[in-house]
Amino acid sequence: MQQFLLLLRYFRRQPRFLALIAVFTLATSLLAALQPWPMKLLADHILGSAPLPGPLHRALEALSLDSGATVLLGIVVIGTLLLFALNSLMDVALTWCWTVAGRRMVYDLAEDLFARLQSRSMLFHKRNTVGDIMSRITVDSWCVYQAAESIVFSPAHALLATIIMVFLMAQLDAQLTLLALIAAPFMVAASFLLGKPLRAAAKIKREIESRVHAHIQQTLTGIPVVQAFAQEEREALRFQKFADAAIRSQQRSALLGSVNSLSSGLITTLGSGLVLWVGARHVLGPQHLGIGSILVFLVYLNSLQAQMKVVAGLYTTAQGLSANMHRVAEILETPPEVADKSDAALLPPVRGSVRFENVTAGYELGYPVLKNISFSAQAGQTIALVGATGAGKTTLVSLIPRFADPWQGRVLIDGHDARDIRLKSLRDQIGIVLQESFLFPLTVAENIAYGRPDASRGEIEAAARAANAHGFISALPEGYETVIGERGATLSGGERQRLAIARALLKDPPILILDEPTSALDAETEHSIIDALRRLMKHRTTFVIAHRLSTVRRADCILVLKDGEIIESGTHEELLARKEHYAHLNRIHSAEAPSLHAAAI
Ligand code: DGT
Ligand code: MG
């Protein structure tokens, strides 16, 4: 219910369309109620001999037309056609209104969801798969439209139509109206109960279909593993099994559907028969009910049943929608983990000093990953982080651009607490190159200029040259205009990293984070980009994480992390002289790869 109120906001943004929809709905209800009346005229006054109703008689006199069969027949034909045309027109108008208003609601909601999801933390995105998030934006957002239509307008329409019809029926024959009113809910209830196995089968069918989806997605996502282990056949067999199950469930659904329509058809006929029987007795009896009135009754009985089905299905529809609404509300109602404070100030251009004061941070409450970390980096210095895998290096640097906030302590950038400044102004001054760089399926130039879309071609090329990337870019089929990922324009790991370096160079940030930028590369490729990295690090405060100690020797300060704590810090020489942890790491490393020392940054 609360989720429903949340969605109401999106209905309210379309007041004009909603008003139009209300008007058209009212009109269609009236038109639908009028539909059987020409037939009544035909049965009672043309085929039968009942005197014309007063208003019609007077209208004919006013138009000086006689009340002969031809004129009346003309009225019946024209009336039927007119009602049909008007009704169709209203239908078109309603569909159009719903298309515009519904789509606007859906896209408004999807836009909000997209914005919300973009501002959620890295941790949230690690925990939720892209597939799940995609379906929240593209599938679940339709719930706002479905809710408006099936929870608000359809029941309102049904109620209105019922009231109009019952009123008209009561004018014709009160007793028969009562009978219809009693019979209709029974007929609806019976077909509703009979529909239960059908709905259960439909649910199973959906489940199996979603398993087929999941299987395809998982297999294709893991295609390198599937192919490497030559398991295509097994995955194909699993697909076949799912497909068989899907076919069986669809067979069952189809069979149950036929049985259901047969049985509910029988019940409908039974109900109509009852009304017909009692109605016929009224025609023969002293009530003098016209045959036309019975026809009107039968049409109304059908329509009543349809309207009641809408109301009866309301609960099921709402329940079906509530799962989607819940998933949407979850995103809309959860505030982003990291957000600007209301009084957050702009961070002026910084020199680049970074200071950690007693920082404790982590992912799961009660399990701190970083414990009481304190250090400071002067502007322009290079700080290297070393330590075993899982020591907390990535976690530590992720606090600088505020991908997460510390639980205790603070992170200061040029003396400003990172939590007191606007995120954008902070992140604008930080460049990041990760182990594997993501490139968008855009042109090479657009990828390099991702952080500064207004950069000129000259600036882009200068950045690419400094990153040692100009050479291979020029050799691409369309140079800087080559779209990455298209027509075989895939890049090697080293080339991708050089584009990432160019991207960071163009952004020209005072603070730089390098999280193992070379560790996915072989020694030779690493050597080819170290030049570029050095140029990138010049005149910036740089945090560099590396497993290969060769890359950290020149750092102004090396922090050795173990289990979330800094256990040693100092320059390469100082730490070697201490002959403790770092010296030990260095020994192992030199034994493994002595030649790499030459490549030190
Ligand atoms: P690496 O990259 O393998 O050399 O390791 P580090 O030093 O970069 O480690 P880090 O900071 O990624 O992880 C430190 C600890 O935190 C480790 O025990 C795993 C845990 N951790 C990292 N990311 C997440 C996360 O997203 N959720 C949770 N619950 N724990 C995480
Ligand atoms: Mg890491």
Side-chain angles (χ1 to χ4, degrees):
M1 192 60 206
Q2 203 184 348
Q3 299 146 9
F4 184 66
L5 291 180
L6 190 74
L7 295 184
L8 228 78
R9 192 162 59 192
Y10 295 91
F11 307 172
R12 271 194 260 127
R13 287 194 203 163
Q14 313 295 336
R16 239 179 288 160
F17 279 105
L18 292 189
L20 275 179
I21 289 171
V23 169
F24 289 140
T25 305
L26 182 67
T28 45
S29 307
L30 277 170
L31 285 173
L34 288 179
Q35 216 111 48
W37 286 79
M39 207 166 53
K40 176 173 156 56
L41 187 68
L42 178 76
D44 286 352
H45 308 289
I46 303 175
L47 302 177
S49 55
L52 278 184
L56 183 62
H57 190 71
R58 277 194 295 279
L60 285 179
E61 267 182 357
L63 293 168
S64 48
L65 289 167
D66 66 3
S67 51
T70 324
V71 173
L72 289 180
L73 211 54
I75 291 177
V76 168
V77 172
I78 291 170
T80 309
L81 282 177
L82 213 64
L83 281 174
F84 174 77
L86 272 176
N87 212 353
S88 303
L89 221 81
M90 289 293 143
D91 255 358
V92 171
L94 254 182
T95 310
W96 184 77
C97 282
W98 267 125
T99 309
V100 180
R103 296 305 188 272
R104 278 202 187 150
M105 284 194 256
V106 171
Y107 281 102
D108 270 359
L109 176 60
E111 206 178 299
D112 283 357
L113 286 172
F114 183 58
R116 285 283 182 154
L117 286 162
Q118 277 210 92
S119 67
R120 291 303 292 272
S121 71
M122 295 283 172
L123 189 58
F124 172 88
H125 287 285
K126 268 196 220 167
R127 284 184 182 153
N128 295 276
T129 61
V130 177
D132 176 70
I133 292 177
M134 290 264 299
S135 83
R136 285 186 203 232
I137 298 182
T138 57
V139 180
D140 295 332
S141 55
W142 281 90
C143 70
V144 63
Y145 164 65
Q146 286 161 341
E149 188 176 23
S150 60
I151 302 185
V152 180
F153 277 93
S154 289
H157 177 203
L159 211 68
L160 201 69
T162 307
I163 292 172
I164 296 174
M165 283 187 298
V166 169
F167 174 77
L168 289 176
M169 284 160 98
Q171 307 294 311
L172 297 174
D173 187 325
Q175 205 183 352
L176 209 53
T177 308
L178 203 64
L179 181 69
L181 273 180
I182 294 169
F186 275 112
M187 287 148 78
V188 172
S191 71
F192 198 68
L193 284 179
L194 283 169
K196 232 177 176 175
L198 183 65
R199 284 192 295 277
K203 195 171 162 216
I204 294 174
K205 192 180 96 183
R206 276 199 303 275
E207 276 169 12
I208 292 178
E209 277 164 358
S210 86
R211 255 184 274 161
V212 174
H213 262 138
H215 176 65
I216 298 173
Q217 202 197 353
Q218 277 166 17
T219 310
L220 294 183
T221 314
I223 197 72
V225 183
V226 175
Q227 293 190 350
F229 287 87
Q231 294 298 316
E232 293 92 336
E233 214 167 294
R234 188 170 66 158
E235 299 301 347
L237 271 177
R238 279 180 64 195
F239 183 91
Q240 209 174 16
K241 256 193 216 161
F242 283 130
D244 286 344
I247 292 172
R248 273 199 303 276
S249 74
Q250 280 165 19
Q251 274 173 334
R252 204 175 126 76
S253 277
L255 199 67
L256 281 172
S258 316
V259 173
N260 181 259
S261 61
L262 185 77
S263 45
S264 58
L266 266 178
I267 290 173
T268 313
T269 316
L270 219 71
S272 307
L274 187 69
V275 170
L276 198 63
W277 189 60
V278 176
R281 286 178 65 97
H282 283 192
V283 174
L284 299 173
Q287 285 92 337
H288 300 298
L289 186 67
I291 294 171
S293 302
I294 298 182
L295 292 176
V296 172
F297 261 87
L298 286 181
V299 172
Y300 280 1
L301 188 67
N302 246 331
S303 181
L304 264 185
Q305 223 186 322
Q307 310 304 351
M308 281 184 189
K309 264 187 192 159
V310 171
V311 179
L314 192 61
Y315 180 69
T316 326
T317 316
Q319 252 190 340
L321 276 178
S322 90
N324 301 71
M325 287 204 259
H326 180 74
R327 280 162 57 82
V328 163
E330 207 174 46
I331 301 296
L332 290 182
E333 286 182 332
T334 318
E337 295 82 354
V338 177
D340 280 342
K341 278 189 187 169
S342 55
D343 58 347
L346 271 183
L347 180 66
V350 294
R351 292 181 52 245
S353 78
V354 176
R355 196 175 150 79
F356 274 54
E357 282 181 0
N358 309 99
V359 170
T360 297
Y363 302 94
E364 311 288 340
L365 273 181
Y367 298 95
V369 170
L370 295 177
K371 296 157 206 156
N372 205 22
I373 299 278
S374 296
F375 68 85
S376 63
Q378 307 303 323
Q381 277 190 332
T382 296
I383 309 292
L385 295 162
V386 299
T389 171
K393 304 179 294 290
T394 301
T395 310
L396 190 153
V397 293
S398 73
L399 299 178
I400 303 171
R402 267 190 91 196
F403 288 150
D405 280 330
W407 296 350
Q408 280 166 26
R410 44 189 205 150
V411 175
L412 302 163
I413 315 288
D414 267 19
H416 304 272
D417 189 328
R419 278 172 298 199
D420 295 336
I421 45 190
R422 291 215 201 130
L423 265 181
K424 180 158 169 44
S425 70
L426 171 69
R427 292 181 182 166
D428 272 347
Q429 304 198 45
I430 299 175
I432 301 177
V433 181
L434 300 174
Q435 185 172 353
E436 291 199 21
S437 295
F438 181 81
L439 299 175
F440 292 93
L442 305 170
T443 65
V444 169
E446 283 166 328
N447 264 293
I448 295 177
Y450 189 72
R452 265 189 56 200
D454 57 333
S456 70
R457 177 48 64 90
E459 289 173 306
I460 293 174
E461 271 194 39
R465 277 180 207 279
N468 285 352
H470 182 73
F472 81 80
I473 295 174
S474 307
L476 288 173
E478 285 163 63
Y480 282 84
E481 295 309 317
T482 312
V483 175
I484 290 175
E486 250 178 30
R487 276 173 283 146
T490 47
L491 301 176
S492 73
E495 289 167 343
R496 298 177 80 86
Q497 286 309 70
R498 273 178 272 174
L499 283 195
I501 292 170
R503 182 160 68 184
L505 268 167
L506 189 64
K507 189 177 176 188
D508 195 20
I511 299 171
L512 182 67
I513 294 170
L514 306 174
D515 192 349
E516 307 188 33
T518 62
S519 60
L521 311 175
D522 60 78
E524 205 177 317
T525 317
E526 177 178 23
H527 194 73
S528 76
I529 75 164
I530 269 177
D531 233 19
L533 274 178
R534 260 192 225 144
R535 246 170 259 151
L536 175 62
M537 290 161 71
K538 213 178 248 173
H539 311 306
R540 301 178 213 280
T541 313
T542 307
F543 292 84
V544 54
I545 299 177
H547 275 300
R548 293 180 193 160
L549 297 188
S550 54
T551 49
V552 305
R553 292 178 54 176
R554 292 186 181 203
D556 297 296
C557 180
I558 301 170
L559 305 176
V560 184
L561 253 78
K562 190 178 179 207
D563 297 332
E565 287 175 281
I566 297 179
I567 51 168
E568 276 178 4
S569 69
T571 62
H572 178 68
E573 285 73 25
E574 282 166 11
L575 291 179
L576 280 188
R578 280 182 67 150
K579 296 193 172 142
E580 286 183 20
H581 203 84
Y582 181 80
H584 175 66
L585 283 180
N586 191 56
R587 247 190 335 273
I588 305 175
H589 182 73
S590 333
E592 271 175 10
S595 63
L596 274 177
H597 275 271
I601 290 177

mmCIF file of all heavy atoms in Angstrom, residues 255-285:
data_model
loop_
_atom_site.group_PDB
_atom_site.id
_atom_site.type_symbol
_atom_site.label_atom_id
_atom_site.label_comp_id
_atom_site.label_asym_id
_atom_site.label_seq_id
_atom_site.Cartn_x
_atom_site.Cartn_y
_atom_site.Cartn_z
ATOM 1 N N LEU A 255 -4.137 -26.823 -21.872
ATOM 2 C CA LEU A 255 -5.211 -27.764 -21.586
ATOM 3 C C LEU A 255 -6.132 -27.212 -20.501
ATOM 4 O O LEU A 255 -7.363 -27.190 -20.648
ATOM 5 C CB LEU A 255 -4.588 -29.093 -21.120
ATOM 6 C CG LEU A 255 -5.494 -30.303 -21.217
ATOM 7 C CD1 LEU A 255 -5.775 -30.619 -22.673
ATOM 8 C CD2 LEU A 255 -4.858 -31.498 -20.502
ATOM 9 N N LEU A 256 -5.510 -26.732 -19.430
ATOM 10 C CA LEU A 256 -6.302 -26.166 -18.335
ATOM 11 C C LEU A 256 -7.085 -24.958 -18.814
ATOM 12 O O LEU A 256 -8.215 -24.731 -18.387
ATOM 13 C CB LEU A 256 -5.382 -25.760 -17.183
ATOM 14 C CG LEU A 256 -4.914 -26.902 -16.291
ATOM 15 C CD1 LEU A 256 -3.853 -26.409 -15.319
ATOM 16 C CD2 LEU A 256 -6.098 -27.470 -15.504
ATOM 17 N N GLY A 257 -6.490 -24.188 -19.725
ATOM 18 C CA GLY A 257 -7.166 -23.009 -20.264
ATOM 19 C C GLY A 257 -8.436 -23.402 -20.993
ATOM 20 O O GLY A 257 -9.490 -22.795 -20.812
ATOM 21 N N SER A 258 -8.340 -24.479 -21.794
ATOM 22 C CA SER A 258 -9.524 -24.922 -22.540
ATOM 23 C C SER A 258 -10.594 -25.430 -21.581
ATOM 24 O O SER A 258 -11.779 -25.100 -21.722
ATOM 25 C CB SER A 258 -9.172 -26.052 -23.499
ATOM 26 O OG SER A 258 -7.993 -25.770 -24.148
ATOM 27 N N VAL A 259 -10.187 -26.231 -20.611
ATOM 28 C CA VAL A 259 -11.148 -26.761 -19.641
ATOM 29 C C VAL A 259 -11.812 -25.614 -18.900
ATOM 30 O O VAL A 259 -13.015 -25.584 -18.677
ATOM 31 C CB VAL A 259 -10.438 -27.711 -18.636
ATOM 32 C CG1 VAL A 259 -11.386 -28.119 -17.526
ATOM 33 C CG2 VAL A 259 -9.894 -28.923 -19.359
ATOM 34 N N ASN A 260 -10.979 -24.621 -18.564
ATOM 35 C CA ASN A 260 -11.494 -23.479 -17.827
ATOM 36 C C ASN A 260 -12.513 -22.708 -18.639
ATOM 37 O O ASN A 260 -13.592 -22.365 -18.153
ATOM 38 C CB ASN A 260 -10.336 -22.576 -17.420
ATOM 39 C CG ASN A 260 -10.809 -21.388 -16.626
ATOM 40 O OD1 ASN A 260 -10.938 -20.298 -17.151
ATOM 41 N ND2 ASN A 260 -11.136 -21.625 -15.373
ATOM 42 N N SER A 261 -12.199 -22.442 -19.908
ATOM 43 C CA SER A 261 -13.149 -21.635 -20.677
ATOM 44 C C SER A 261 -14.424 -22.429 -20.929
ATOM 45 O O SER A 261 -15.518 -21.867 -20.977
ATOM 46 C CB SER A 261 -12.528 -21.116 -21.975
ATOM 47 O OG SER A 261 -12.146 -22.197 -22.773
ATOM 48 N N LEU A 262 -14.281 -23.766 -21.016
ATOM 49 C CA LEU A 262 -15.462 -24.609 -21.192
ATOM 50 C C LEU A 262 -16.353 -24.531 -19.949
ATOM 51 O O LEU A 262 -17.554 -24.271 -20.032
ATOM 52 C CB LEU A 262 -15.004 -26.060 -21.426
ATOM 53 C CG LEU A 262 -16.102 -27.044 -21.750
ATOM 54 C CD1 LEU A 262 -16.524 -26.869 -23.202
ATOM 55 C CD2 LEU A 262 -15.643 -28.482 -21.507
ATOM 56 N N SER A 263 -15.728 -24.705 -18.775
ATOM 57 C CA SER A 263 -16.544 -24.739 -17.563
ATOM 58 C C SER A 263 -17.110 -23.369 -17.226
ATOM 59 O O SER A 263 -18.258 -23.245 -16.815
ATOM 60 C CB SER A 263 -15.735 -25.303 -16.385
ATOM 61 O OG SER A 263 -14.472 -24.719 -16.360
ATOM 62 N N SER A 264 -16.290 -22.314 -17.415
ATOM 63 C CA SER A 264 -16.864 -21.010 -17.080
ATOM 64 C C SER A 264 -17.904 -20.613 -18.118
ATOM 65 O O SER A 264 -18.880 -19.930 -17.794
ATOM 66 C CB SER A 264 -15.790 -19.942 -16.888
ATOM 67 O OG SER A 264 -15.021 -19.836 -18.044
ATOM 68 N N GLY A 265 -17.740 -21.101 -19.356
ATOM 69 C CA GLY A 265 -18.760 -20.865 -20.371
ATOM 70 C C GLY A 265 -20.075 -21.534 -19.986
ATOM 71 O O GLY A 265 -21.155 -20.954 -20.132
ATOM 72 N N LEU A 266 -19.951 -22.744 -19.449
ATOM 73 C CA LEU A 266 -21.144 -23.483 -19.014
ATOM 74 C C LEU A 266 -21.884 -22.718 -17.925
ATOM 75 O O LEU A 266 -23.114 -22.578 -17.944
ATOM 76 C CB LEU A 266 -20.717 -24.846 -18.467
ATOM 77 C CG LEU A 266 -20.738 -26.001 -19.462
ATOM 78 C CD1 LEU A 266 -20.238 -27.273 -18.813
ATOM 79 C CD2 LEU A 266 -22.175 -26.194 -19.983
ATOM 80 N N ILE A 267 -21.099 -22.224 -16.971
ATOM 81 C CA ILE A 267 -21.709 -21.491 -15.849
ATOM 82 C C ILE A 267 -22.388 -20.226 -16.343
ATOM 83 O O ILE A 267 -23.503 -19.892 -15.941
ATOM 84 C CB ILE A 267 -20.629 -21.168 -14.798
ATOM 85 C CG1 ILE A 267 -20.200 -22.472 -14.127
ATOM 86 C CG2 ILE A 267 -21.152 -20.185 -13.767
ATOM 87 C CD1 ILE A 267 -19.046 -22.321 -13.201
ATOM 88 N N THR A 268 -21.689 -19.527 -17.266
ATOM 89 C CA THR A 268 -22.272 -18.305 -17.820
ATOM 90 C C THR A 268 -23.599 -18.620 -18.503
ATOM 91 O O THR A 268 -24.607 -17.937 -18.309
ATOM 92 C CB THR A 268 -21.310 -17.682 -18.854
ATOM 93 O OG1 THR A 268 -20.013 -17.665 -18.294
ATOM 94 C CG2 THR A 268 -21.722 -16.302 -19.242
ATOM 95 N N THR A 269 -23.586 -19.683 -19.278
ATOM 96 C CA THR A 269 -24.806 -20.053 -20.001
ATOM 97 C C THR A 269 -25.919 -20.406 -19.015
ATOM 98 O O THR A 269 -27.085 -20.052 -19.213
ATOM 99 C CB THR A 269 -24.526 -21.267 -20.913
ATOM 100 O OG1 THR A 269 -23.294 -21.046 -21.558
ATOM 101 C CG2 THR A 269 -25.613 -21.459 -21.928
ATOM 102 N N LEU A 270 -25.533 -21.096 -17.952
ATOM 103 C CA LEU A 270 -26.502 -21.482 -16.930
ATOM 104 C C LEU A 270 -27.154 -20.247 -16.311
ATOM 105 O O LEU A 270 -28.377 -20.151 -16.173
ATOM 106 C CB LEU A 270 -25.770 -22.279 -15.850
ATOM 107 C CG LEU A 270 -26.529 -23.458 -15.267
ATOM 108 C CD1 LEU A 270 -26.616 -24.568 -16.297
ATOM 109 C CD2 LEU A 270 -25.830 -23.944 -13.998
ATOM 110 N N GLY A 271 -26.309 -19.261 -15.968
ATOM 111 C CA GLY A 271 -26.799 -18.018 -15.354
ATOM 112 C C GLY A 271 -27.706 -17.279 -16.313
ATOM 113 O O GLY A 271 -28.802 -16.836 -15.940
ATOM 114 N N SER A 272 -27.230 -17.187 -17.575
ATOM 115 C CA SER A 272 -28.048 -16.482 -18.560
ATOM 116 C C SER A 272 -29.365 -17.202 -18.755
ATOM 117 O O SER A 272 -30.429 -16.578 -18.883
ATOM 118 C CB SER A 272 -27.312 -16.420 -19.901
ATOM 119 O OG SER A 272 -26.044 -15.887 -19.724
ATOM 120 N N GLY A 273 -29.304 -18.531 -18.753
ATOM 121 C CA GLY A 273 -30.516 -19.333 -18.918
ATOM 122 C C GLY A 273 -31.524 -19.050 -17.814
ATOM 123 O O GLY A 273 -32.729 -18.910 -18.067
ATOM 124 N N LEU A 274 -31.009 -18.921 -16.611
ATOM 125 C CA LEU A 274 -31.887 -18.656 -15.457
ATOM 126 C C LEU A 274 -32.601 -17.320 -15.634
ATOM 127 O O LEU A 274 -33.828 -17.211 -15.460
ATOM 128 C CB LEU A 274 -31.019 -18.643 -14.185
ATOM 129 C CG LEU A 274 -31.775 -18.538 -12.877
ATOM 130 C CD1 LEU A 274 -32.548 -19.832 -12.619
ATOM 131 C CD2 LEU A 274 -30.816 -18.250 -11.722
ATOM 132 N N VAL A 275 -31.808 -16.302 -16.017
ATOM 133 C CA VAL A 275 -32.398 -14.975 -16.208
ATOM 134 C C VAL A 275 -33.416 -15.028 -17.346
ATOM 135 O O VAL A 275 -34.512 -14.461 -17.255
ATOM 136 C CB VAL A 275 -31.296 -13.934 -16.495
ATOM 137 C CG1 VAL A 275 -31.897 -12.602 -16.930
ATOM 138 C CG2 VAL A 275 -30.410 -13.750 -15.275
ATOM 139 N N LEU A 276 -33.071 -15.757 -18.404
ATOM 140 C CA LEU A 276 -33.955 -15.884 -19.558
ATOM 141 C C LEU A 276 -35.267 -16.552 -19.143
ATOM 142 O O LEU A 276 -36.366 -16.115 -19.504
ATOM 143 C CB LEU A 276 -33.246 -16.725 -20.629
ATOM 144 C CG LEU A 276 -33.792 -16.623 -22.035
ATOM 145 C CD1 LEU A 276 -33.646 -15.199 -22.553
ATOM 146 C CD2 LEU A 276 -33.048 -17.588 -22.965
ATOM 147 N N TRP A 277 -35.136 -17.577 -18.354
ATOM 148 C CA TRP A 277 -36.310 -18.347 -17.928
ATOM 149 C C TRP A 277 -37.247 -17.483 -17.086
ATOM 150 O O TRP A 277 -38.434 -17.357 -17.380
ATOM 151 C CB TRP A 277 -35.823 -19.566 -17.114
ATOM 152 C CG TRP A 277 -36.920 -20.530 -16.802
ATOM 153 C CD1 TRP A 277 -37.704 -21.213 -17.690
ATOM 154 C CD2 TRP A 277 -37.367 -20.896 -15.501
ATOM 155 N NE1 TRP A 277 -38.594 -21.998 -17.053
ATOM 156 C CE2 TRP A 277 -38.411 -21.834 -15.685
ATOM 157 C CE3 TRP A 277 -36.978 -20.559 -14.209
ATOM 158 C CZ2 TRP A 277 -39.089 -22.407 -14.607
ATOM 159 C CZ3 TRP A 277 -37.649 -21.140 -13.146
ATOM 160 C CH2 TRP A 277 -38.691 -22.053 -13.349
ATOM 161 N N VAL A 278 -36.647 -16.831 -16.064
ATOM 162 C CA VAL A 278 -37.486 -15.974 -15.204
ATOM 163 C C VAL A 278 -38.028 -14.811 -16.022
ATOM 164 O O VAL A 278 -39.208 -14.444 -15.916
ATOM 165 C CB VAL A 278 -36.665 -15.461 -13.995
ATOM 166 C CG1 VAL A 278 -37.491 -14.497 -13.158
ATOM 167 C CG2 VAL A 278 -36.194 -16.624 -13.142
ATOM 168 N N GLY A 279 -37.167 -14.265 -16.903
ATOM 169 C CA GLY A 279 -37.592 -13.140 -17.738
ATOM 170 C C GLY A 279 -38.755 -13.532 -18.621
ATOM 171 O O GLY A 279 -39.750 -12.802 -18.738
ATOM 172 N N ALA A 280 -38.654 -14.714 -19.232
ATOM 173 C CA ALA A 280 -39.710 -15.173 -20.128
ATOM 174 C C ALA A 280 -41.022 -15.323 -19.372
ATOM 175 O O ALA A 280 -42.106 -14.993 -19.877
ATOM 176 C CB ALA A 280 -39.294 -16.496 -20.762
ATOM 177 N N ARG A 281 -40.922 -15.800 -18.145
ATOM 178 C CA ARG A 281 -42.141 -15.939 -17.333
ATOM 179 C C ARG A 281 -42.754 -14.571 -17.056
ATOM 180 O O ARG A 281 -43.971 -14.424 -16.991
ATOM 181 C CB ARG A 281 -41.811 -16.649 -16.025
ATOM 182 C CG ARG A 281 -41.566 -18.150 -16.260
ATOM 183 C CD ARG A 281 -41.191 -18.826 -14.971
ATOM 184 N NE ARG A 281 -42.303 -18.784 -14.020
ATOM 185 C CZ ARG A 281 -43.152 -19.793 -13.849
ATOM 186 N NH1 ARG A 281 -43.015 -20.891 -14.551
ATOM 187 N NH2 ARG A 281 -44.138 -19.699 -12.984
ATOM 188 N N HIS A 282 -41.853 -13.577 -16.895
ATOM 189 C CA HIS A 282 -42.374 -12.215 -16.671
ATOM 190 C C HIS A 282 -43.065 -11.687 -17.922
ATOM 191 O O HIS A 282 -44.026 -10.945 -17.846
ATOM 192 C CB HIS A 282 -41.237 -11.273 -16.267
ATOM 193 C CG HIS A 282 -40.832 -11.459 -14.827
ATOM 194 N ND1 HIS A 282 -40.021 -10.581 -14.177
ATOM 195 C CD2 HIS A 282 -41.131 -12.418 -13.922
ATOM 196 C CE1 HIS A 282 -39.823 -11.001 -12.932
ATOM 197 N NE2 HIS A 282 -40.494 -12.119 -12.768
ATOM 198 N N VAL A 283 -42.549 -12.072 -19.097
ATOM 199 C CA VAL A 283 -43.184 -11.623 -20.338
ATOM 200 C C VAL A 283 -44.582 -12.220 -20.440
ATOM 201 O O VAL A 283 -45.551 -11.534 -20.780
ATOM 202 C CB VAL A 283 -42.349 -12.060 -21.564
ATOM 203 C CG1 VAL A 283 -43.076 -11.715 -22.859
ATOM 204 C CG2 VAL A 283 -40.975 -11.386 -21.541
ATOM 205 N N LEU A 284 -44.654 -13.506 -20.076
ATOM 206 C CA LEU A 284 -45.936 -14.196 -20.180
ATOM 207 C C LEU A 284 -46.880 -13.817 -19.049
ATOM 208 O O LEU A 284 -48.087 -13.873 -19.178
ATOM 209 C CB LEU A 284 -45.704 -15.709 -20.185
ATOM 210 C CG LEU A 284 -44.856 -16.220 -21.362
ATOM 211 C CD1 LEU A 284 -44.538 -17.698 -21.196
ATOM 212 C CD2 LEU A 284 -45.573 -15.964 -22.678
ATOM 213 N N GLY A 285 -46.289 -13.454 -17.916
ATOM 214 C CA GLY A 285 -47.104 -13.176 -16.734
ATOM 215 C C GLY A 285 -47.676 -11.774 -16.760
ATOM 216 O O GLY A 285 -47.649 -11.091 -17.782
#
